[in-house]
Amino acid sequence: EDKVVQSPLSLVVHEGDTVTLNCSYEVTNFRSLLWYKQEKKAPTFLFMLTSSGIEKKSGRLSSILDKKELFSILNITATQTGDSAVYLCAARNSGGSNYKLTFGKGTLLTVNP
Amino acid sequence: SAVISQKPSRDICQRGTSLTIQCQVDSQVTMMFWYRQQPGQSLTLIATANQGSEATYESGFVIDKFPISRPNLTFSTLTVSNMSPEDSSIYLCSVLQGSGANVLTFGAGSRLTVL
């Protein structure tokens, strides 16, 4: 059974801190890993990673994938209160014409002023 | 990028009743996906809905409990039938976008509470 595990489950930091969120996966015929930010109900897309060792960056957020060790990390530098959210990691398998993501439970990040 | 509208945004329902959630996309899409997120849990795929064919359900989800309609390329509905408190969840409609249609984009979600 495909599985995605995120850690920590929750994290409380102060503004300006740097955080690292972890995601490990066991997925049959792995194809890509995606990160989402969920503030209220709808997750919003952050990154999609398909190749090992290539960092993706968007402002203060960055992410990298290790396909040998089956994990990914999401880094947020100089955190702001607006970064408070649940961060979801999801792994996609190569299911032919089907598209299926297996999600982790998420990391709840709270950034205090 | 496509705009995905869901309604209702939230509802409080009585045990034993059924509720239909609507999902409207502002562009034509081949596949639409329905996810559920129970409190404290990860998003779980309920089914994939293709226009003109029966929805494909994931293990643990059945058509009698979660009937889906997909009458055209921009619209789908999910019904949660004979609800129990365990059905209290956020239900999310989603479509594929991005280069190569590789990224799942979600609607705003429907938060259902069953009493």
Side-chain angles (χ1 to χ4, degrees):
Chain A
E1 183 180 338
D2 295 342
K3 187 167 64 172
V4 174
V5 178
Q6 293 185 245
S7 64
L9 290 181
S10 65
L11 188 57
V12 180
V13 301
H14 289 103
E15 269 193 317
D17 288 350
T18 294
V19 298
T20 298
L21 310 183
N22 304 296
C23 174
S24 65
Y25 62 90
E26 293 177 29
V27 171
T28 307
N29 298 323
F30 173 81
R31 181 165 177 171
S32 58
L33 189 130
L34 293 86
W35 284 95
Y36 289 85
K37 178 181 182 182
Q38 186 176 29
E39 292 179 85
K40 291 185 179 177
K41 290 183 294 187
T44 54
F45 172 74
L46 295 175
F47 298 110
M48 183 176 71
L49 303 152
T50 56
S51 301
S52 274
I54 300 175
E55 184 183 56
K56 292 237 175 161
K57 198 169 171 64
S58 177
R60 296 176 294 102
L61 277 67
S62 64
S63 183
I64 198 161
L65 175 67
D66 185 329
K67 290 168 73 172
K68 182 179 177 185
E69 300 297 330
L70 308 183
F71 79 88
S72 174
I73 60 172
L74 175 69
N75 282 319
I76 308 174
T77 59
T79 51
Q80 303 170 357
T81 55
D83 295 326
S84 296
V86 174
Y87 290 84
L88 298 168
C89 169
R92 179 189 175 188
N93 61 11
S94 298
S97 60
N98 294 327
Y99 182 102
K100 181 181 177 183
L101 292 181
T102 300
F103 281 85
K105 289 188 176 181
T107 293
L108 172 61
L109 175 65
T110 303
V111 182
N112 291 324
Chain B
S1 59
V3 175
I4 306 169
S5 304
Q6 267 187 251
K7 57 182 181 181
S9 173
R10 58 177 60 229
D11 208 338
I12 299 174
C13 309
Q14 296 298 319
R15 183 195 298 256
T17 62
S18 299
L19 183 82
T20 295
I21 302 166
Q22 298 180 8
C23 178
Q24 179 77 52
V25 188
D26 69 349
S27 59
Q28 294 185 337
V29 293
T30 305
M31 291 189 286
M32 295 177 77
F33 305 86
W34 286 98
Y35 278 82
R36 178 176 78 177
Q37 187 178 30
Q38 294 176 302
Q41 301 299 314
S42 60
L43 276 73
T44 303
L45 180 63
I46 298 172
T48 302
N50 293 323
Q51 192 268 336
S53 63
E54 291 276 339
T56 302
Y57 288 83
E58 296 299 308
S59 174
F61 297 97
V62 295
I63 188 171
D64 289 347
K65 175 67 176 176
F66 297 101
I68 287 171
S69 79
R70 184 78 204 276
N72 57 54
L73 291 173
T74 63
F75 187 78
S76 178
T77 68
L78 169 76
T79 299
V80 186
S81 303
N82 188 24
M83 287 185 284
S84 67
E86 292 71 34
D87 294 318
S88 297
S89 292
I90 299 173
Y91 291 86
L92 294 150
C93 168
S94 56
V95 302
L96 287 172
Q97 289 195 306
S99 174
N102 284 316
V103 175
L104 207 59
T105 300
F106 290 89
S110 300
R111 186 186 297 272
L112 301 188
T113 302
V114 184
L115 303 178

mmCIF file of all heavy atoms in Angstrom, chain A residues 44-63:
data_model
loop_
_atom_site.group_PDB
_atom_site.id
_atom_site.type_symbol
_atom_site.label_atom_id
_atom_site.label_comp_id
_atom_site.label_asym_id
_atom_site.label_seq_id
_atom_site.Cartn_x
_atom_site.Cartn_y
_atom_site.Cartn_z
ATOM 1 N N THR A 44 -3.269 24.724 -1.775
ATOM 2 C CA THR A 44 -2.728 25.441 -2.927
ATOM 3 C C THR A 44 -1.353 24.887 -3.254
ATOM 4 O O THR A 44 -0.551 24.595 -2.360
ATOM 5 C CB THR A 44 -2.632 26.952 -2.665
ATOM 6 O OG1 THR A 44 -1.889 27.155 -1.458
ATOM 7 C CG2 THR A 44 -3.997 27.571 -2.511
ATOM 8 N N PHE A 45 -1.079 24.744 -4.521
ATOM 9 C CA PHE A 45 0.135 24.096 -5.008
ATOM 10 C C PHE A 45 1.375 24.937 -4.725
ATOM 11 O O PHE A 45 1.371 26.152 -4.908
ATOM 12 C CB PHE A 45 -0.013 23.854 -6.509
ATOM 13 C CG PHE A 45 1.237 23.373 -7.186
ATOM 14 C CD1 PHE A 45 1.680 22.070 -7.008
ATOM 15 C CD2 PHE A 45 1.956 24.214 -8.009
ATOM 16 C CE1 PHE A 45 2.825 21.615 -7.639
ATOM 17 C CE2 PHE A 45 3.101 23.779 -8.641
ATOM 18 C CZ PHE A 45 3.534 22.480 -8.459
ATOM 19 N N LEU A 46 2.431 24.270 -4.282
ATOM 20 C CA LEU A 46 3.715 24.935 -4.071
ATOM 21 C C LEU A 46 4.760 24.449 -5.067
ATOM 22 O O LEU A 46 5.294 25.229 -5.849
ATOM 23 C CB LEU A 46 4.211 24.686 -2.639
ATOM 24 C CG LEU A 46 3.385 25.281 -1.498
ATOM 25 C CD1 LEU A 46 3.946 24.824 -0.161
ATOM 26 C CD2 LEU A 46 3.333 26.790 -1.597
ATOM 27 N N PHE A 47 5.074 23.162 -5.015
ATOM 28 C CA PHE A 47 6.139 22.614 -5.852
ATOM 29 C C PHE A 47 5.777 21.225 -6.362
ATOM 30 O O PHE A 47 5.064 20.492 -5.698
ATOM 31 C CB PHE A 47 7.452 22.453 -5.055
ATOM 32 C CG PHE A 47 8.035 23.720 -4.522
ATOM 33 C CD1 PHE A 47 8.034 23.974 -3.157
ATOM 34 C CD2 PHE A 47 8.588 24.663 -5.367
ATOM 35 C CE1 PHE A 47 8.575 25.141 -2.646
ATOM 36 C CE2 PHE A 47 9.132 25.831 -4.872
ATOM 37 C CZ PHE A 47 9.125 26.076 -3.503
ATOM 38 N N MET A 48 6.338 20.892 -7.517
ATOM 39 C CA MET A 48 6.348 19.526 -7.993
ATOM 40 C C MET A 48 7.788 19.136 -8.269
ATOM 41 O O MET A 48 8.512 19.870 -8.952
ATOM 42 C CB MET A 48 5.514 19.349 -9.268
ATOM 43 C CG MET A 48 5.462 17.912 -9.739
ATOM 44 S SD MET A 48 4.397 17.650 -11.148
ATOM 45 C CE MET A 48 5.348 18.435 -12.449
ATOM 46 N N LEU A 49 8.195 17.991 -7.740
ATOM 47 C CA LEU A 49 9.577 17.520 -7.868
ATOM 48 C C LEU A 49 9.567 16.170 -8.556
ATOM 49 O O LEU A 49 8.820 15.264 -8.166
ATOM 50 C CB LEU A 49 10.210 17.385 -6.479
ATOM 51 C CG LEU A 49 10.191 18.665 -5.642
ATOM 52 C CD1 LEU A 49 10.182 18.332 -4.171
ATOM 53 C CD2 LEU A 49 11.400 19.509 -5.978
ATOM 54 N N THR A 50 10.416 16.042 -9.556
ATOM 55 C CA THR A 50 10.501 14.761 -10.254
ATOM 56 C C THR A 50 11.921 14.218 -10.275
ATOM 57 O O THR A 50 12.111 13.011 -10.433
ATOM 58 C CB THR A 50 10.005 14.899 -11.701
ATOM 59 O OG1 THR A 50 10.745 15.927 -12.347
ATOM 60 C CG2 THR A 50 8.527 15.236 -11.739
ATOM 61 N N SER A 51 12.912 15.065 -10.129
ATOM 62 C CA SER A 51 14.308 14.632 -10.226
ATOM 63 C C SER A 51 15.021 14.836 -8.905
ATOM 64 O O SER A 51 14.810 15.825 -8.206
ATOM 65 C CB SER A 51 15.026 15.436 -11.314
ATOM 66 O OG SER A 51 14.382 15.256 -12.559
ATOM 67 N N SER A 52 15.912 13.913 -8.600
ATOM 68 C CA SER A 52 16.681 14.015 -7.364
ATOM 69 C C SER A 52 17.673 15.157 -7.425
ATOM 70 O O SER A 52 18.285 15.407 -8.473
ATOM 71 C CB SER A 52 17.454 12.715 -7.122
ATOM 72 O OG SER A 52 16.683 11.768 -6.464
ATOM 73 N N GLY A 53 17.863 15.810 -6.289
ATOM 74 C CA GLY A 53 18.965 16.745 -6.133
ATOM 75 C C GLY A 53 18.775 18.105 -6.760
ATOM 76 O O GLY A 53 19.649 18.960 -6.647
ATOM 77 N N ILE A 54 17.670 18.327 -7.413
ATOM 78 C CA ILE A 54 17.444 19.632 -8.047
ATOM 79 C C ILE A 54 16.495 20.431 -7.165
ATOM 80 O O ILE A 54 15.336 20.056 -6.979
ATOM 81 C CB ILE A 54 16.859 19.470 -9.457
ATOM 82 C CG1 ILE A 54 17.825 18.681 -10.337
ATOM 83 C CG2 ILE A 54 16.546 20.840 -10.068
ATOM 84 C CD1 ILE A 54 17.297 18.363 -11.701
ATOM 85 N N GLU A 55 17.023 21.525 -6.629
ATOM 86 C CA GLU A 55 16.223 22.321 -5.727
ATOM 87 C C GLU A 55 15.255 23.198 -6.501
ATOM 88 O O GLU A 55 15.608 23.838 -7.487
ATOM 89 C CB GLU A 55 17.123 23.207 -4.862
ATOM 90 C CG GLU A 55 16.357 24.006 -3.816
ATOM 91 C CD GLU A 55 17.269 24.934 -3.023
ATOM 92 O OE1 GLU A 55 17.966 25.761 -3.650
ATOM 93 O OE2 GLU A 55 17.274 24.823 -1.781
ATOM 94 N N LYS A 56 14.033 23.218 -6.007
ATOM 95 C CA LYS A 56 13.045 24.142 -6.551
ATOM 96 C C LYS A 56 12.880 25.262 -5.532
ATOM 97 O O LYS A 56 12.842 25.017 -4.322
ATOM 98 C CB LYS A 56 11.720 23.435 -6.792
ATOM 99 C CG LYS A 56 11.776 22.413 -7.908
ATOM 100 C CD LYS A 56 10.775 22.703 -8.960
ATOM 101 C CE LYS A 56 10.924 21.754 -10.130
ATOM 102 N NZ LYS A 56 9.745 21.691 -10.978
ATOM 103 N N LYS A 57 12.768 26.481 -6.030
ATOM 104 C CA LYS A 57 12.756 27.631 -5.126
ATOM 105 C C LYS A 57 11.692 28.620 -5.558
ATOM 106 O O LYS A 57 11.490 28.872 -6.749
ATOM 107 C CB LYS A 57 14.140 28.299 -5.163
ATOM 108 C CG LYS A 57 14.436 29.209 -3.991
ATOM 109 C CD LYS A 57 15.904 29.595 -4.007
ATOM 110 C CE LYS A 57 16.198 30.685 -2.981
ATOM 111 N NZ LYS A 57 15.970 30.259 -1.603
ATOM 112 N N SER A 58 11.013 29.153 -4.553
ATOM 113 C CA SER A 58 10.038 30.206 -4.811
ATOM 114 C C SER A 58 10.065 31.146 -3.622
ATOM 115 O O SER A 58 9.508 30.835 -2.564
ATOM 116 C CB SER A 58 8.641 29.617 -5.002
ATOM 117 O OG SER A 58 7.679 30.637 -5.176
ATOM 118 N N GLY A 59 10.739 32.257 -3.791
ATOM 119 C CA GLY A 59 10.852 33.212 -2.685
ATOM 120 C C GLY A 59 11.593 32.599 -1.514
ATOM 121 O O GLY A 59 12.706 32.094 -1.659
ATOM 122 N N ARG A 60 10.925 32.571 -0.366
ATOM 123 C CA ARG A 60 11.556 32.032 0.844
ATOM 124 C C ARG A 60 11.366 30.523 0.985
ATOM 125 O O ARG A 60 11.870 29.922 1.926
ATOM 126 C CB ARG A 60 10.949 32.734 2.066
ATOM 127 C CG ARG A 60 11.244 34.225 2.123
ATOM 128 C CD ARG A 60 10.528 34.898 3.311
ATOM 129 N NE ARG A 60 9.078 34.874 3.154
ATOM 130 C CZ ARG A 60 8.259 34.034 3.782
ATOM 131 N NH1 ARG A 60 8.752 33.139 4.649
ATOM 132 N NH2 ARG A 60 6.955 34.095 3.596
ATOM 133 N N LEU A 61 10.627 29.934 0.048
ATOM 134 C CA LEU A 61 10.380 28.500 0.111
ATOM 135 C C LEU A 61 11.270 27.767 -0.887
ATOM 136 O O LEU A 61 11.510 28.260 -2.002
ATOM 137 C CB LEU A 61 8.916 28.189 -0.229
ATOM 138 C CG LEU A 61 7.891 28.317 0.890
ATOM 139 C CD1 LEU A 61 7.721 29.754 1.343
ATOM 140 C CD2 LEU A 61 6.557 27.737 0.446
ATOM 141 N N SER A 62 11.742 26.614 -0.478
ATOM 142 C CA SER A 62 12.513 25.775 -1.383
ATOM 143 C C SER A 62 12.265 24.324 -1.020
ATOM 144 O O SER A 62 11.878 23.997 0.110
ATOM 145 C CB SER A 62 14.011 26.101 -1.314
ATOM 146 O OG SER A 62 14.519 25.811 -0.028
ATOM 147 N N SER A 63 12.498 23.454 -1.992
ATOM 148 C CA SER A 63 12.249 22.033 -1.761
ATOM 149 C C SER A 63 13.201 21.214 -2.610
ATOM 150 O O SER A 63 13.643 21.647 -3.687
ATOM 151 C CB SER A 63 10.798 21.689 -2.113
ATOM 152 O OG SER A 63 10.525 20.338 -1.822
#
